[in-house]
Amino acid sequence: YGGLARERSVPEVFSESREEFAPYRNTMPVIAAIKDVMRLVKRTKPAPIAIADKRFPQSEQVLRRLGAVHIGTCEQGEIYQWPN
């Protein structure tokens, strides 16, 4: 699952990836959910951020594919933001 949360004053995109979800990652409902979240991202001000979790090596690649740009680093991982 995933969505858009407001942490402090900055909106943050989040998702949870579990191994048991792996067989469903490329299914129509999951793709539709990603598109729904991306529509929210495009309308949200200020521009939302996302943190690429160090535990998931492909998370940075996924964020870049979704249009996010690397803007910094924090304890949890690399910080990405969508340009408005």
Side-chain angles (χ1 to χ4, degrees), residues 33-74:
I34 291 169
K35 287 181 179 182
D36 287 344
V37 170
M38 293 312 300
R39 278 192 284 278
L40 277 174
V41 165
K42 289 179 182 178
R43 293 193 317 248
T44 301
K45 306 285 187 224
I49 65 165
I51 299 172
D53 193 321
K54 295 175 186 177
R55 297 173 296 168
F56 302 100
Q58 293 184 337
S59 59
E60 287 189 68
Q61 177 185 357
V62 170
L63 290 171
R64 286 191 303 268
R65 286 184 66 197
L66 293 173
V69 177
H70 184 260
I71 61 166
T73 304
C74 68

Short mmCIF file of all heavy atoms in Angstrom, two decimals, residues 33-74:
data_model
loop_
_atom_site.label_atom_id
_atom_site.label_comp_id
_atom_site.label_asym_id
_atom_site.label_seq_id
_atom_site.Cartn_x
_atom_site.Cartn_y
_atom_site.Cartn_z
N ALA A 33 -3.24 1.97 -8.90
CA ALA A 33 -2.99 2.65 -7.62
C ALA A 33 -1.80 3.59 -7.72
O ALA A 33 -1.83 4.72 -7.20
CB ALA A 33 -2.77 1.63 -6.51
N ILE A 34 -0.74 3.16 -8.40
CA ILE A 34 0.43 4.03 -8.59
C ILE A 34 0.04 5.26 -9.39
O ILE A 34 0.42 6.38 -9.05
CB ILE A 34 1.57 3.25 -9.28
CG1 ILE A 34 2.13 2.19 -8.33
CG2 ILE A 34 2.67 4.20 -9.75
CD1 ILE A 34 3.06 1.20 -9.00
N LYS A 35 -0.75 5.08 -10.43
CA LYS A 35 -1.20 6.22 -11.24
C LYS A 35 -2.04 7.18 -10.41
O LYS A 35 -1.92 8.40 -10.56
CB LYS A 35 -1.97 5.74 -12.46
CG LYS A 35 -1.07 5.11 -13.51
CD LYS A 35 -1.86 4.65 -14.71
CE LYS A 35 -0.93 4.06 -15.77
NZ LYS A 35 -1.66 3.65 -16.97
N ASP A 36 -2.89 6.65 -9.54
CA ASP A 36 -3.70 7.50 -8.66
C ASP A 36 -2.82 8.35 -7.75
O ASP A 36 -3.04 9.54 -7.58
CB ASP A 36 -4.65 6.66 -7.80
CG ASP A 36 -5.80 6.08 -8.59
OD1 ASP A 36 -6.06 6.55 -9.73
OD2 ASP A 36 -6.45 5.15 -8.07
N VAL A 37 -1.82 7.72 -7.14
CA VAL A 37 -0.90 8.45 -6.26
C VAL A 37 -0.13 9.51 -7.04
O VAL A 37 0.04 10.64 -6.59
CB VAL A 37 0.05 7.49 -5.51
CG1 VAL A 37 1.14 8.26 -4.78
CG2 VAL A 37 -0.73 6.62 -4.54
N MET A 38 0.30 9.18 -8.25
CA MET A 38 1.06 10.14 -9.06
C MET A 38 0.19 11.34 -9.46
O MET A 38 0.68 12.45 -9.54
CB MET A 38 1.67 9.46 -10.28
CG MET A 38 2.75 8.44 -9.94
SD MET A 38 3.99 9.02 -8.75
CE MET A 38 4.66 10.42 -9.59
N ARG A 39 -1.11 11.12 -9.66
CA ARG A 39 -2.01 12.25 -9.92
C ARG A 39 -2.07 13.18 -8.71
O ARG A 39 -2.08 14.40 -8.84
CB ARG A 39 -3.41 11.76 -10.30
CG ARG A 39 -3.51 11.36 -11.76
CD ARG A 39 -4.96 11.15 -12.19
NE ARG A 39 -5.52 9.89 -11.73
CZ ARG A 39 -5.34 8.72 -12.33
NH1 ARG A 39 -4.61 8.64 -13.42
NH2 ARG A 39 -5.89 7.64 -11.85
N LEU A 40 -2.10 12.59 -7.51
CA LEU A 40 -2.07 13.39 -6.29
C LEU A 40 -0.76 14.16 -6.18
O LEU A 40 -0.76 15.34 -5.81
CB LEU A 40 -2.21 12.49 -5.06
CG LEU A 40 -3.59 12.07 -4.64
CD1 LEU A 40 -3.51 11.06 -3.50
CD2 LEU A 40 -4.41 13.27 -4.21
N VAL A 41 0.34 13.50 -6.48
CA VAL A 41 1.66 14.13 -6.40
C VAL A 41 1.71 15.38 -7.28
O VAL A 41 2.19 16.44 -6.86
CB VAL A 41 2.77 13.13 -6.80
CG1 VAL A 41 4.09 13.83 -7.09
CG2 VAL A 41 2.95 12.08 -5.72
N LYS A 42 1.18 15.28 -8.48
CA LYS A 42 1.24 16.41 -9.42
C LYS A 42 0.42 17.60 -8.95
O LYS A 42 0.72 18.73 -9.28
CB LYS A 42 0.78 15.95 -10.81
CG LYS A 42 1.78 15.04 -11.47
CD LYS A 42 1.30 14.57 -12.82
CE LYS A 42 2.32 13.62 -13.41
NZ LYS A 42 1.93 13.07 -14.68
N ARG A 43 -0.62 17.36 -8.15
CA ARG A 43 -1.50 18.44 -7.69
C ARG A 43 -1.08 19.00 -6.33
O ARG A 43 -1.61 20.01 -5.90
CB ARG A 43 -2.93 17.94 -7.57
CG ARG A 43 -3.57 17.59 -8.87
CD ARG A 43 -5.06 17.40 -8.73
NE ARG A 43 -5.46 16.64 -7.56
CZ ARG A 43 -6.01 15.43 -7.59
NH1 ARG A 43 -6.22 14.83 -8.74
NH2 ARG A 43 -6.36 14.82 -6.48
N THR A 44 -0.16 18.35 -5.64
CA THR A 44 0.17 18.72 -4.28
C THR A 44 1.21 19.84 -4.23
O THR A 44 2.22 19.79 -4.91
CB THR A 44 0.69 17.48 -3.51
OG1 THR A 44 -0.33 16.48 -3.53
CG2 THR A 44 1.03 17.81 -2.09
N LYS A 45 0.94 20.83 -3.39
CA LYS A 45 1.87 21.93 -3.14
C LYS A 45 2.10 22.01 -1.63
O LYS A 45 1.14 21.89 -0.89
CB LYS A 45 1.30 23.26 -3.63
CG LYS A 45 0.87 23.26 -5.07
CD LYS A 45 2.05 23.31 -5.98
CE LYS A 45 1.53 23.50 -7.41
NZ LYS A 45 2.10 22.75 -8.39
N PRO A 46 3.29 22.22 -1.16
CA PRO A 46 4.54 22.21 -1.92
C PRO A 46 4.82 20.82 -2.47
O PRO A 46 4.18 19.85 -2.10
CB PRO A 46 5.59 22.63 -0.89
CG PRO A 46 5.02 22.24 0.43
CD PRO A 46 3.53 22.36 0.28
N ALA A 47 5.81 20.75 -3.35
CA ALA A 47 6.15 19.48 -4.01
C ALA A 47 6.47 18.41 -2.97
O ALA A 47 7.25 18.64 -2.06
CB ALA A 47 7.33 19.69 -4.94
N PRO A 48 5.86 17.22 -3.11
CA PRO A 48 6.11 16.15 -2.16
C PRO A 48 7.53 15.58 -2.26
O PRO A 48 8.17 15.67 -3.30
CB PRO A 48 5.10 15.06 -2.55
CG PRO A 48 4.18 15.68 -3.52
CD PRO A 48 4.85 16.86 -4.09
N ILE A 49 7.96 14.99 -1.16
CA ILE A 49 9.25 14.30 -1.14
C ILE A 49 8.98 12.81 -0.92
O ILE A 49 7.88 12.40 -0.57
CB ILE A 49 10.17 14.82 -0.02
CG1 ILE A 49 9.58 14.53 1.37
CG2 ILE A 49 10.49 16.29 -0.21
CD1 ILE A 49 10.56 14.67 2.51
N ALA A 50 10.03 12.01 -1.11
CA ALA A 50 10.01 10.58 -0.79
C ALA A 50 11.43 10.22 -0.36
O ALA A 50 12.39 10.82 -0.83
CB ALA A 50 9.58 9.74 -1.98
N ILE A 51 11.54 9.26 0.52
CA ILE A 51 12.84 8.80 0.97
C ILE A 51 13.06 7.39 0.44
O ILE A 51 12.25 6.50 0.69
CB ILE A 51 12.95 8.83 2.50
CG1 ILE A 51 12.77 10.27 2.99
CG2 ILE A 51 14.29 8.25 2.96
CD1 ILE A 51 12.67 10.41 4.49
N ALA A 52 14.14 7.22 -0.31
CA ALA A 52 14.50 5.90 -0.83
C ALA A 52 15.10 5.11 0.33
O ALA A 52 16.19 5.42 0.81
CB ALA A 52 15.50 6.04 -1.97
N ASP A 53 14.39 4.13 0.78
CA ASP A 53 14.79 3.33 1.94
C ASP A 53 16.03 2.50 1.62
O ASP A 53 16.05 1.76 0.64
CB ASP A 53 13.64 2.43 2.35
CG ASP A 53 13.81 1.79 3.70
OD1 ASP A 53 14.95 1.39 4.04
OD2 ASP A 53 12.81 1.68 4.42
N LYS A 54 17.05 2.60 2.48
CA LYS A 54 18.30 1.86 2.28
C LYS A 54 18.08 0.34 2.24
O LYS A 54 18.86 -0.38 1.65
CB LYS A 54 19.29 2.19 3.39
CG LYS A 54 19.74 3.61 3.41
CD LYS A 54 20.64 3.86 4.62
CE LYS A 54 20.99 5.32 4.74
NZ LYS A 54 21.78 5.58 5.94
N ARG A 55 17.02 -0.12 2.88
CA ARG A 55 16.76 -1.57 2.92
C ARG A 55 16.28 -2.12 1.58
O ARG A 55 16.26 -3.34 1.38
CB ARG A 55 15.71 -1.89 3.99
CG ARG A 55 16.18 -1.53 5.40
CD ARG A 55 15.06 -1.69 6.38
NE ARG A 55 14.00 -0.73 6.05
CZ ARG A 55 12.78 -0.75 6.57
NH1 ARG A 55 12.45 -1.68 7.41
NH2 ARG A 55 11.90 0.15 6.23
N PHE A 56 15.87 -1.23 0.67
CA PHE A 56 15.36 -1.65 -0.63
C PHE A 56 16.21 -1.02 -1.72
O PHE A 56 15.97 0.12 -2.12
CB PHE A 56 13.88 -1.26 -0.79
CG PHE A 56 13.02 -1.85 0.28
CD1 PHE A 56 12.62 -1.09 1.37
CD2 PHE A 56 12.62 -3.17 0.21
CE1 PHE A 56 11.83 -1.63 2.37
CE2 PHE A 56 11.83 -3.73 1.20
CZ PHE A 56 11.44 -2.96 2.29
N PRO A 57 17.22 -1.74 -2.20
CA PRO A 57 18.19 -1.17 -3.15
C PRO A 57 17.57 -0.57 -4.41
O PRO A 57 18.12 0.36 -4.97
CB PRO A 57 19.09 -2.36 -3.51
CG PRO A 57 18.88 -3.36 -2.44
CD PRO A 57 17.51 -3.13 -1.88
N GLN A 58 16.43 -1.06 -4.85
CA GLN A 58 15.83 -0.54 -6.08
C GLN A 58 14.92 0.66 -5.86
O GLN A 58 14.39 1.22 -6.81
CB GLN A 58 15.06 -1.64 -6.80
CG GLN A 58 15.96 -2.73 -7.32
CD GLN A 58 15.19 -3.76 -8.11
OE1 GLN A 58 13.99 -3.92 -7.94
NE2 GLN A 58 15.88 -4.47 -8.98
N SER A 59 14.78 1.09 -4.62
CA SER A 59 13.84 2.19 -4.36
C SER A 59 14.26 3.49 -5.04
O SER A 59 13.40 4.23 -5.52
CB SER A 59 13.65 2.40 -2.85
OG SER A 59 14.87 2.70 -2.22
N GLU A 60 15.55 3.76 -5.12
CA GLU A 60 15.99 4.98 -5.82
C GLU A 60 15.64 4.92 -7.30
O GLU A 60 15.18 5.91 -7.87
CB GLU A 60 17.50 5.19 -5.64
CG GLU A 60 17.86 5.63 -4.25
CD GLU A 60 19.31 6.04 -4.15
OE1 GLU A 60 19.67 7.06 -4.75
OE2 GLU A 60 20.08 5.32 -3.48
N GLN A 61 15.84 3.78 -7.91
CA GLN A 61 15.52 3.61 -9.33
C GLN A 61 14.03 3.82 -9.57
O GLN A 61 13.63 4.49 -10.53
CB GLN A 61 15.95 2.22 -9.80
CG GLN A 61 15.59 1.94 -11.24
CD GLN A 61 15.93 0.51 -11.64
OE1 GLN A 61 16.47 -0.27 -10.86
NE2 GLN A 61 15.59 0.16 -12.85
N VAL A 62 13.20 3.29 -8.69
CA VAL A 62 11.75 3.44 -8.83
C VAL A 62 11.36 4.91 -8.74
O VAL A 62 10.58 5.41 -9.55
CB VAL A 62 11.01 2.60 -7.77
CG1 VAL A 62 9.53 2.94 -7.74
CG2 VAL A 62 11.23 1.12 -8.01
N LEU A 63 11.91 5.63 -7.77
CA LEU A 63 11.58 7.04 -7.61
C LEU A 63 11.99 7.86 -8.83
O LEU A 63 11.24 8.72 -9.29
CB LEU A 63 12.22 7.61 -6.34
CG LEU A 63 11.61 7.08 -5.04
CD1 LEU A 63 12.45 7.52 -3.85
CD2 LEU A 63 10.18 7.53 -4.90
N ARG A 64 13.16 7.56 -9.37
CA ARG A 64 13.60 8.27 -10.58
C ARG A 64 12.66 7.97 -11.76
O ARG A 64 12.32 8.86 -12.53
CB ARG A 64 15.04 7.92 -10.93
CG ARG A 64 16.06 8.57 -9.99
CD ARG A 64 17.48 8.42 -10.50
NE ARG A 64 17.88 7.04 -10.71
CZ ARG A 64 18.48 6.28 -9.79
NH1 ARG A 64 18.76 6.75 -8.59
NH2 ARG A 64 18.81 5.03 -10.07
N ARG A 65 12.25 6.72 -11.89
CA ARG A 65 11.33 6.35 -12.98
C ARG A 65 9.99 7.06 -12.85
O ARG A 65 9.31 7.31 -13.85
CB ARG A 65 11.11 4.84 -13.01
CG ARG A 65 12.31 4.09 -13.55
CD ARG A 65 12.05 2.63 -13.66
NE ARG A 65 11.03 2.37 -14.67
CZ ARG A 65 10.36 1.24 -14.77
NH1 ARG A 65 10.60 0.25 -13.94
NH2 ARG A 65 9.46 1.07 -15.71
N LEU A 66 9.61 7.39 -11.62
CA LEU A 66 8.35 8.09 -11.39
C LEU A 66 8.50 9.61 -11.47
O LEU A 66 7.56 10.36 -11.20
CB LEU A 66 7.77 7.69 -10.03
CG LEU A 66 7.31 6.23 -9.91
CD1 LEU A 66 6.91 5.91 -8.49
CD2 LEU A 66 6.17 5.95 -10.88
N GLY A 67 9.71 10.08 -11.83
CA GLY A 67 9.91 11.50 -12.06
C GLY A 67 10.50 12.29 -10.92
O GLY A 67 10.63 13.51 -11.00
N ALA A 68 10.87 11.64 -9.82
CA ALA A 68 11.45 12.35 -8.68
C ALA A 68 12.94 12.63 -8.92
O ALA A 68 13.60 11.89 -9.65
CB ALA A 68 11.27 11.53 -7.40
N VAL A 69 13.42 13.69 -8.30
CA VAL A 69 14.80 14.14 -8.45
C VAL A 69 15.50 14.09 -7.08
O VAL A 69 14.92 14.52 -6.07
CB VAL A 69 14.84 15.58 -9.00
CG1 VAL A 69 16.25 16.11 -9.11
CG2 VAL A 69 14.12 15.65 -10.34
N HIS A 70 16.72 13.60 -7.05
CA HIS A 70 17.49 13.51 -5.80
C HIS A 70 17.81 14.91 -5.28
O HIS A 70 18.30 15.75 -6.02
CB HIS A 70 18.79 12.74 -6.04
CG HIS A 70 19.57 12.52 -4.80
ND1 HIS A 70 20.65 13.31 -4.47
CD2 HIS A 70 19.42 11.63 -3.79
CE1 HIS A 70 21.15 12.90 -3.32
NE2 HIS A 70 20.41 11.89 -2.88
N ILE A 71 17.49 15.16 -3.98
CA ILE A 71 17.77 16.49 -3.41
C ILE A 71 18.61 16.45 -2.15
O ILE A 71 19.00 17.50 -1.65
CB ILE A 71 16.47 17.27 -3.13
CG1 ILE A 71 15.60 16.53 -2.11
CG2 ILE A 71 15.72 17.54 -4.42
CD1 ILE A 71 14.49 17.38 -1.52
N GLY A 72 18.89 15.25 -1.60
CA GLY A 72 19.69 15.20 -0.38
C GLY A 72 19.70 13.83 0.25
O GLY A 72 19.23 12.86 -0.33
N THR A 73 20.23 13.78 1.47
CA THR A 73 20.38 12.54 2.21
C THR A 73 19.93 12.75 3.65
O THR A 73 20.10 13.83 4.21
CB THR A 73 21.86 12.09 2.20
OG1 THR A 73 22.28 12.00 0.85
CG2 THR A 73 22.05 10.75 2.87
N CYS A 74 19.35 11.70 4.25
CA CYS A 74 18.99 11.73 5.67
C CYS A 74 19.32 10.36 6.27
O CYS A 74 19.81 9.48 5.57
CB CYS A 74 17.51 12.08 5.86
SG CYS A 74 16.37 10.83 5.27
#
